[in-house]
Amino acid sequence: MAVAAETNTQELIDKLNAAYEKAHLGYEDNFWATKMALQASGSSSGSGSSSSSSSSSSSSSSSSSSSSGETGKGTADALAATKTAYETFLGDPVNLQAVRTALEAAKEGKAQLSAEQEKVLRIMERTFGCYILEDPAAAALKEKINSLEAGLSQSRNTMSLGYTDPATGEFKKASSVQLRNTMRVSDDEATRKACYEGVRSIGPFVSEQFVEIVKQRNKLARLLGFEDFYDYKVTAAEGFGKRRLFEIMDDLEAKTRPIMTAARERLAKEKGAAALEPWNQSYALAGDTEKAQDPYFPFEQAVDVWARTFGALGIEYSGATMTLDLCDRDGKYSNGFCHWPQVAWRKPDGSFVPSKANFTSLATPSQVGSGKTALVTLLHEGGHAAHFANIDQPSPFFSQERAPTSVAYAETQSMFLDAFAHDAAWLGRYALSRSGEVMPWKIIADGYAATQPYDVFALRAMIAVPYFEKALYELPEAELTKERLLALADEVETRVQGGLSPRPLLSVPHPLSDESSCYYHGYVLAEMAVRQTRAYFKSKYGKLVDNPAIGKELCEGYWRPGNGAMFLDLVEAVTHKPLAADDWVHDLERPLEAVLREEEADYKEAVAQGPAIKHGQPVDLKMRVRLVHGDEVIADSETDGGLAGACDKFKAWVDKTYLSA
């Protein structure tokens, strides 16, 4: 999909922008249809109103009904084909050469470029440079990998996942999210162990197909001159190689290993050695507090709470349309995500193109813990959506989620916002029962006491994924077998986490998919940035929750530039110091007593003040919100009385579908 060089620079830019939008939209529509197991074809971002449609597309979904007459189904073949078309455009050397010719002409004085045109051409050059496969063998290999990955994705989506009930011997279907939730809250150890074995069964199921993908990925990376696939991916995404990344990672690993060792010893002393078993660890840490907190996170209120939280932070979505598919079902992709078929950008005529986002989580509303899980996912993925909705740059190339957009940059925004769900200042305002009662301080304090000394476990689980992928891609090809893959996962879990993990490495979906493979290190770098940004804002403003200055600073400092600025530069510009692990390590080392004193003071103030936007009050995020369940459209803020009306309609649907016994 090449765009030939034009004598007019603006014409070249316009054609590349249009071609990018078309290829991106085609792929993302099929990605959503496939991952959501939709029967109706086309975009789920909503095309029923011209006020929310900012681009021409092949969208054919109805905004009010799933029976629109469209019967095409997203398939692995369609996903692979549109992915190949998207990557062919990004990786076509003709496009790169056209951009470089325009830049060279300006350098030689043969043409004049405005500052904005040069800025756009530079991001196009950088973007195309991440994907060029000039070697025909490499291009053919990449297409083969796309097909292998699509096949694995389809197999994984149709896997009969679940556990064998130890009481009855009956096999009960459950998603990986449901299995992990049950491990957190079930009082029966045999049930928890059965659920762990269910999650662990993902590894053997995917291993044979995944091993072949790993081999082909490494072949591709080496054809392109990289050490291995991990080196290739991190260089494209972050601008520095695997060696530099693991210098940072190794330093963090070394500094937190003693904290982890002490935490494991403390857990065994407090709750017995059995608490360290992978099926018991999550329950030992959160079993009691999770159940105690559950009434204060009613699932059906999650969308309303998220909207009011963001509204009080001064966060807006610049005219975006968001489609939310929040509940679990058979065939649905087993990880929450937010993608945007239409990216936000500003056209040469000055008009702004608002984004369209597709957002999913995997809640089972009747299950203990589902409300909090859904809310944290809303805060996280809604943070991604807010970030990408507010990129305001003169090309869609600045707004794409893949390389050269930094993984760490993207995850900083979502992780900063999901952290609010753990703050007493937020819980005292927004964690309310169905009858309107605020979560008592004792429950919050018990939660901190149960988890704060063990926060290092989350860090170690986070770094285990990149260490696993690093070791995997460094294996000699002769050793890349199903058996070695399974053994390696256990070895890394034991070495990095001190024992087998409650979330087995091969149940983590990121390594399986091209977009998210060799990606997880971004969460680690992002968490460093989150801790540093929170510390800076606290020192500057004194409080974070319900502070509209936070949304403004995030938007102006982090969001608007898009990938036109480097992640490390943005962090330093916002926080006024280089990125470092100091604030994260400081948080891990804080005595529990000091944490409780500070959080209790914040809680008392929160209860006294209440939320800035009360339940039932209108909240305007400058966004159209569609709530769906697969092909079924449940509510639409454009036709159901605004966001508050859509939330009420969604609540009624949840009550009828899941909670009416």
Side-chain angles (χ1 to χ4, degrees):
M1 189 189 295
V3 175
E6 305 290 339
T7 54
N8 184 302
T9 300
Q10 190 58 50
E11 185 177 353
L12 170 65
I13 290 173
D14 291 345
K15 287 191 174 184
L16 287 171
N17 284 341
Y20 171 78
E21 280 194 301
K22 180 179 179 181
H24 183 268
L25 186 63
Y27 167 62
E28 287 294 346
D29 279 350
N30 277 289
F31 183 89
W32 178 258
T34 302
K35 298 301 183 183
M36 296 300 99
L38 300 184
Q39 297 298 318
S41 65
S43 171
S44 294
S45 296
S47 58
S49 171
S50 59
S51 65
S52 67
S53 299
S54 60
S55 68
S56 59
S57 74
S58 58
S59 174
S60 58
S61 65
S62 169
S63 63
S64 60
S65 172
S66 62
S67 56
S68 60
E70 302 292 344
T71 58
K73 183 176 181 179
T75 65
D77 288 344
L79 179 61
T82 52
K83 180 179 180 182
T84 296
Y86 180 34
E87 292 184 340
T88 297
F89 168 73
L90 289 172
D92 195 315
V94 174
N95 293 335
L96 177 59
Q97 186 56 50
V99 170
R100 286 178 173 167
T101 297
L103 288 168
E104 189 64 27
K107 183 178 179 181
E108 295 175 354
K110 297 177 181 178
Q112 287 189 334
L113 296 179
S114 68
E116 183 171 284
Q117 286 176 329
E118 182 173 1
K119 180 180 180 180
V120 172
L121 290 172
R122 291 295 180 192
I123 196 61
M124 288 176 170
E125 180 184 36
R126 185 174 163 217
T127 302
F128 289 133
C130 292
Y131 299 93
I132 296 301
L133 297 176
E134 297 182 82
D135 185 340
L141 183 55
K142 188 67 179 75
E143 189 165 351
K144 176 181 178 181
I145 293 170
N146 288 348
S147 295
L148 290 172
E149 289 169 348
L152 175 57
S153 175
Q154 190 172 48
S155 296
R156 174 64 184 85
N157 282 349
T158 58
M159 178 186 179
S160 183
L161 188 62
Y163 69 101
T164 301
D165 188 331
T168 65
E170 176 189 358
F171 180 79
K172 294 187 175 180
K173 295 185 71 174
S175 70
S176 60
V177 173
Q178 291 171 319
L179 292 170
R180 292 199 307 275
N181 278 342
T182 302
M183 287 165 60
R184 279 198 296 269
V185 301
S186 175
D187 292 326
D188 182 54
E189 182 176 0
T191 298
R192 296 196 299 271
K193 186 174 182 180
C195 288
Y196 168 74
E197 290 169 347
V199 177
R200 191 171 166 83
S201 71
I202 296 172
F205 182 87
V206 303
S207 58
E208 188 169 346
Q209 287 174 283
F210 185 44
V211 161
E212 183 58 29
I213 289 171
V214 170
K215 291 178 181 178
Q216 301 304 319
R217 285 176 177 173
N218 262 348
K219 285 181 182 178
L220 174 64
R222 286 163 184 155
L223 269 176
L224 298 174
F226 292 89
E227 178 184 335
D228 56 28
F229 187 71
Y230 206 125
D231 189 43
Y232 165 56
K233 283 295 294 286
V234 71
T235 301
E238 304 295 348
F240 52 81
K242 183 181 71 171
R243 183 171 301 178
R244 174 61 184 137
L245 170 65
F246 280 93
E247 288 174 358
I248 300 171
M249 297 285 291
D250 289 346
D251 179 61
L252 180 65
E253 194 280 329
K255 288 179 178 177
T256 57
R257 177 171 287 278
I259 303 174
M260 177 197 70
T261 301
R264 287 180 63 85
E265 291 172 354
R266 176 172 178 158
L267 182 60
K269 182 178 180 180
E270 288 185 350
K271 301 198 175 182
L276 297 176
E277 296 288 357
W279 54 86
N280 290 333
Q281 191 177 116
S282 299
Y283 177 77
L285 294 176
D288 294 335
T289 58
E290 187 91 8
K291 284 181 286 187
Q293 290 182 3
D294 185 66
Y296 303 94
F297 291 102
F299 173 85
E300 66 276 15
Q301 300 287 358
V303 177
D304 173 70
V305 171
W306 156 68
R308 290 188 292 120
T309 297
F310 276 30
L313 287 169
I315 293 173
E316 296 179 345
Y317 284 80
S318 301
T321 297
M322 182 187 290
T323 296
L324 295 89
D325 189 326
L326 301 178
C327 296
D328 203 2
R329 61 180 178 276
D330 287 347
K332 187 176 179 182
Y333 185 56
S334 62
N335 199 49
F337 66 81
C338 184
H339 285 203
W340 24 96
Q342 176 60 59
V343 300
W345 65 291
R346 191 167 296 278
K347 291 183 175 181
D349 64 7
S351 61
F352 183 72
V353 180
S355 70
K356 292 184 179 181
N358 289 332
F359 173 137
T360 178
S361 67
L362 294 123
T364 302
S366 58
Q367 188 174 47
V368 173
S370 65
K372 184 175 182 180
T373 298
L375 183 56
V376 171
T377 303
L378 278 160
L379 295 173
H380 182 97
E381 303 298 346
H384 279 308
H387 167 201
F388 282 88
N390 284 290
I391 294 173
D392 191 350
Q393 297 297 324
S395 171
F397 282 76
F398 290 96
S399 310
Q400 70 150 348
E401 67 276 16
R402 305 171 78 197
T405 297
S406 162
V407 173
Y409 167 51
E411 295 302 331
T412 295
Q413 319 315 316
S414 55
M415 292 166 65
F416 179 90
L417 289 160
D418 75 35
F420 280 93
H422 306 287
D423 293 341
W426 183 90
L427 293 166
R429 290 174 170 87
Y430 293 100
L432 275 64
S433 69
R434 290 183 173 90
S435 59
E437 297 172 341
V438 179
M439 182 185 292
W441 166 247
K442 184 180 185 307
I443 292 177
I444 297 172
D446 288 347
Y448 284 130
T451 60
Q452 194 271 343
Y454 307 108
D455 282 348
V456 68
F457 290 164
L459 181 154
R460 303 296 293 194
M462 196 182 295
I463 67 175
V465 180
Y467 274 109
F468 168 62
E469 289 188 280
K470 176 179 183 287
L472 178 61
Y473 289 105
E474 289 178 353
L475 281 178
E477 184 170 342
E479 292 186 34
L480 275 169
T481 64
K482 175 179 178 178
E483 293 74 20
R484 184 69 187 103
L485 172 67
L486 298 172
L488 180 64
D490 288 351
E491 291 167 13
V492 173
E493 288 177 25
T494 302
R495 176 170 58 86
V496 176
Q497 296 181 252
L500 294 180
S501 174
R503 189 186 191 190
L505 282 168
L506 284 169
S507 73
V508 179
H510 295 69
L512 306 183
S513 170
D514 174 59
E515 291 87 351
S516 55
S517 59
C518 304
Y519 178 112
Y520 226 81
H521 62 267
Y523 294 116
V524 181
L525 300 179
E527 186 67 23
M528 288 185 190
V530 167
R531 302 284 178 151
Q532 186 165 311
T533 303
R534 283 172 61 89
Y536 170 72
F537 284 157
K538 282 184 178 180
S539 68
K540 182 175 181 178
Y541 295 112
K543 74 167 191 173
L544 304 182
V545 179
D546 285 3
N547 182 354
I550 301 300
K552 181 178 179 181
E553 288 225 30
L554 291 173
C555 187
E556 297 298 330
Y558 278 134
W559 299 345
R560 292 219 189 281
N563 59 20
M566 300 304 290
F567 167 65
L568 296 179
D569 294 337
L570 288 171
V571 174
E572 185 168 359
V574 171
T575 66
H576 303 290
K577 67 178 183 179
L579 179 65
D582 298 351
D583 292 305
W584 196 357
V585 174
H586 169 75
D587 288 347
L588 292 174
E589 292 178 337
R590 288 182 71 203
L592 176 62
E593 295 74 17
V595 172
L596 291 174
R597 280 196 304 271
E598 181 179 331
E599 295 294 334
E600 185 176 15
D602 290 344
Y603 172 80
K604 289 179 178 178
E605 180 181 339
V607 173
Q609 294 181 350
I613 302 175
K614 306 293 191 290
H615 175 71
Q617 290 182 331
V619 54
D620 184 8
L621 298 179
K622 299 293 187 291
M623 172 173 61
R624 175 188 178 188
V625 175
R626 300 171 69 249
L627 293 148
V628 307
H629 187 60
D631 293 283
E632 176 187 1
V633 177
I634 302 164
D636 187 332
S637 66
E638 189 169 77
T639 58
D640 292 319
L643 186 52
C647 288
D648 288 342
K649 194 170 180 181
F650 177 69
K651 178 181 180 299
W653 180 85
V654 172
D655 287 341
K656 179 181 178 181
T657 306
Y658 293 96
L659 305 180
S660 299

